[in-house]
Amino acid sequence: MSSTQAEPTSFAFTEANMKLVEKAIKKYPEGRQMSAVKTLLDLAQRQMGAQSGAAWLPRAAMDKVAEILGVAPIRVYEVATFYSMFNLEPVGKYHLQVCTTTPCWLRGSDDVVAACKKATGIQAFGETSEDGLFTLKEVECLGACVNAPILQVNDDYFEDMDAARTEALIADLKAGKPLPPAGSLGGRKSSAPAPGQTTLISAPGISAPGSSE
């Protein structure tokens, strides 16, 4: 299913966010305010998430950004529709984004996708679960290939995923538990080798220069 949250007819930044808007714009020379557009769109999307439970960009928010920057709304729409991190429709409280590009696919992203669907009841990418908690999206490379496969939940990357870890993570979210620390759920530190060994435990077997061996 898709979220049925109503499209708002107006949008205004909160006082706190308006200060951040002004700070972002001041980073650029006069006449170059459009350079701040992604920052303003991100602020608007996060504000929508805080206020409505769904982090997305209604047209009213994009129009407000255009008004603040003094540009035609189409220039803001062009940016918002280009970048996948901007959601033009309401999403669930937990936005599940599965990388299915080659490294993740080779490491089992199909299993992660299947587990997401099984645990949430979602049938296809782009849908939101009946309880409104989860939206599932297919994304391109997330840039953490060494710890593939990757499942991004909102802003956090969860790495070394498999079906069991995915189902357990979603079950915890359904139960109202907080997200675990981002990173590998396989127990390894950062991008260290999966078995845990980081140094040689025996000679590499390479003969020294001039050796007869």
Side-chain angles (χ1 to χ4, degrees):
M1 64 171 289
S2 297
S3 176
T4 57
Q5 186 173 124
E7 177 91 18
T9 57
S10 64
F11 177 88
F13 283 105
T14 63
E15 182 178 350
N17 279 342
M18 197 62 210
K19 291 180 180 178
L20 295 176
V21 165
E22 293 168 355
K23 182 179 179 181
I25 293 173
K26 287 179 180 178
K27 292 180 180 179
Y28 303 99
E30 183 66 29
R32 301 293 183 182
Q33 293 89 341
M34 183 62 184
S35 298
V37 64
K38 288 188 289 185
T39 299
L40 270 60
L41 288 174
D42 181 66
L43 284 169
Q45 181 164 279
R46 291 177 186 278
Q47 181 173 308
M48 283 295 299
Q51 293 177 340
S52 71
W56 67 296
L57 284 173
R59 182 169 178 173
M62 292 185 281
D63 289 346
K64 175 57 69 173
V65 169
E67 176 188 327
I68 291 172
L69 295 176
V71 299
I74 185 61
R75 295 193 62 194
V76 176
Y77 303 160
E78 288 170 342
V79 175
T81 57
F82 180 82
Y83 291 99
S84 62
M85 73 277 289
F86 296 129
N87 307 313
L88 302 184
E89 295 181 353
V91 296
K93 180 179 181 181
Y94 301 109
H95 193 186
L96 309 177
Q97 300 172 74
V98 186
C99 175
T100 59
T101 311
T102 306
C104 280
W105 177 72
L106 289 171
R107 293 277 293 164
S109 64
D110 284 351
D111 294 335
V112 176
V113 171
C116 286
K117 292 179 177 179
K118 177 183 176 182
T120 64
I122 292 172
Q123 299 299 313
F125 289 121
E127 292 184 354
T128 297
S129 58
E130 292 288 343
D131 57 15
L133 281 178
F134 303 97
T135 296
L136 180 62
K137 185 177 182 180
E138 181 180 31
V139 294
E140 295 297 324
C141 183
L142 292 172
C145 309
V146 70
N147 288 3
I150 308 300
L151 171 62
Q152 182 179 350
V153 182
N154 298 342
D155 290 333
D156 294 323
Y157 280 18
F158 295 97
E159 306 161 353
D160 295 317
M161 298 301 287
D162 58 21
R165 290 168 187 162
T166 300
E167 290 188 36
L169 176 62
I170 293 175
D172 284 347
L173 296 178
K174 283 184 175 180
K177 297 181 181 180
L179 283 169
S184 173
L185 293 191
R188 63 168 153 170
K189 183 178 181 180
S190 187
S191 296
Q197 180 179 323
T198 58
T199 58
L200 294 173
I201 58 175
S202 62
I206 299 176
S207 300
S211 171
S212 61
E213 295 183 6

